[in-house]
Amino acid sequence: MQTQTEILSKAREFVKQELATDSSGHDWWHIYRVTSTAIKLAQAENADAFVCELAALLHDIADEKLNESKTAGMQKVKTWLQENAVAETAVEHILEIIGTMSFNGGNNKPMQTLEGRIVQDADRLDALGAIGIGRTFAYAGWKGHLMHNPELAVRENMTSEEYRNSGGTAINHFYEKLLKLKNLMNTAHGRKLAEERHAFMETFLNQFYQEWEAEV
Ligand code: ADP
Ligand code: NI
């Protein structure tokens, strides 16, 4: 029998190896941050810390970008959990969390359990605040997008489709997604952190626009 600490440590090694070659924004350090936040939220919300930590560690392993299909990705996670003798109820729970999370943007099926709500909040928090700003500009650079184009007419209420067709900029991504996230948070502690990170992004945007026009 492996202890939970041993399972978590093996999961860390597995994920580092699997994501070593990733260039889609899901590098190991994203996992590291989401896991740290999930642990913190689990404590604050009195949730099952083992399930939260393990689900956070594995949450991007099933990503479509890294697998032949979503099903193949989910099977990879399941196999790993079973080979490492994770208790059956925890296996089911973790698969349910990761399966629901990877529907992101799709049918928006709500998370079924407190642990699921926590891991989803932790993932969303990594898109906000200073880290979220950094990731957004890194992604835009990787895509070859401009950081900002003031002539891009529509900002608010743009659909994802319209946004993509518009060519997209880093600044636009704030309106398309990031500034909406605080209202989608599941847990009280997640919401509080999201509100702080949201305020920081608004401060950043104000300063950005002022510098753009040489007003400050
Ligand atoms: P997630 O971790 O939520 O699955 P994605 O894979 O969609 O995130 O994106 C990785 C990072 O890049 C996130 O921080 C996200 O906010 C950012 N990002 C996603 N799409 C864009 C875009 N079109 N322009 C700028 N940043 C983006
Ligand atoms: Ni993620």
Side-chain angles (χ1 to χ4, degrees):
M1 265 304 271
Q2 299 192 90
T3 63
Q4 291 191 336
T5 312
E6 283 164 346
I7 292 171
L8 289 169
S9 152
K10 282 199 174 163
R12 242 169 263 130
E13 290 314 309
F14 170 64
V15 173
K16 272 188 192 169
Q17 214 168 40
E18 287 287 321
L19 300 180
T21 56
D22 179 75
S23 58
S24 70
H26 298 106
D27 59 289
W28 160 250
W29 295 111
H30 164 67
I31 306 303
Y32 167 86
R33 295 187 301 267
V34 172
T35 304
S36 308
T37 303
I39 293 168
K40 204 173 141 186
L41 292 180
Q43 283 162 355
E45 302 281 338
N46 274 322
D48 183 330
F50 175 70
V51 166
C52 288
E53 185 169 352
L54 196 47
L57 281 170
L58 298 170
H59 86 273
D60 275 335
I61 291 290
D63 197 287
E64 268 181 307
K65 287 169 229 150
L66 301 168
N67 296 281
E68 274 175 32
S69 65
K70 207 170 273 177
T71 321
M74 290 303 293
Q75 187 56 50
K76 191 196 286 172
V77 176
K78 188 174 183 178
T79 305
W80 190 89
L81 290 168
Q82 288 173 340
E83 280 175 355
N84 285 278
V86 174
E88 189 55 34
T89 48
V91 173
E92 295 298 321
H93 194 169
I94 290 164
L95 289 175
E96 196 265 331
I97 293 173
I98 297 176
T100 309
M101 274 181 81
S102 59
F103 272 108
N104 233 339
N107 56 8
N108 280 332
K109 184 170 168 253
M111 299 303 294
Q112 299 297 307
T113 63
L114 175 61
E115 287 73 20
R117 290 191 279 277
I118 283 172
V119 180
Q120 189 174 52
D121 275 5
D123 197 31
R124 284 175 172 160
L125 282 164
D126 204 50
L128 299 179
I131 297 282
I133 294 170
R135 289 179 82 203
T136 297
F137 283 86
Y139 183 100
W142 175 67
K143 275 282 199 181
H145 291 165
L146 285 176
M147 62 175 186
H148 180 43
N149 176 4
E151 288 169 355
L152 203 60
V154 212
R155 273 209 204 102
E156 320 255 353
N157 302 321
M158 221 177 189
T159 66
S160 303
E161 175 97 52
E162 285 166 337
Y163 167 73
R164 269 194 299 279
N165 294 337
S166 74
T169 65
I171 290 294
N172 234 293
H173 186 62
F174 287 82
Y175 300 92
E176 181 218 19
K177 179 175 176 191
L178 307 184
L179 295 171
K180 294 175 181 170
L181 290 178
K182 86 169 161 47
N183 293 331
L184 297 175
M185 300 303 287
N186 301 306
T187 66
H189 284 84
R191 193 168 314 114
K192 184 172 171 288
L193 291 173
E195 276 164 8
E196 290 166 10
R197 293 182 187 201
H198 183 100
F200 183 82
M201 293 193 300
E202 292 205 308
T203 303
F204 169 83
L205 287 170
N206 280 332
Q207 177 80 13
F208 187 97
Y209 294 131
Q210 285 184 305
E211 290 181 12
W212 192 276
E213 299 300 341
E215 287 167 5
V216 288

